[in-house]
Amino acid sequence: MENEVRLGSPAGFLLIAMILLGIAAELFLNINEDPGTFIIFTLIFAAPGVFLLIAGAVALGIEAARQS
């Protein structure tokens, strides 16, 4: 059970961030359909994705520093 990913763990943050950034990338590919709408949707999904990516990386660094 050591490889388990919980949503509150640093790996969970990174997993959710990758999902949100993947959705943002898919929306960005459709930007030619309606630029105003799709850029807003892209930002709605990308902003928390980037935040969780940074938070997960920092949390992983803190966790690694505590273990050493």
Side-chain angles (χ1 to χ4, degrees):
M1 289 276 203
E2 214 170 289
N3 293 332
E4 182 179 307
V5 176
R6 295 174 320 225
L7 293 181
S9 68
F13 286 165
L14 295 174
L15 176 68
I16 295 169
M18 289 295 113
I19 292 170
L20 288 174
L21 290 174
I23 293 170
E26 289 292 325
L27 288 169
F28 187 73
L29 291 176
N30 291 325
I31 203 162
N32 292 333
E33 300 291 327
D34 183 15
T37 302
F38 280 101
I39 197 69
I40 290 171
F41 284 142
T42 300
L43 291 175
I44 287 172
F45 283 98
V50 170
F51 173 78
L52 287 173
L53 186 70
I54 293 168
V58 169
L60 276 175
I62 292 171
E63 190 174 89
R66 285 185 181 165
Q67 290 177 358
S68 61

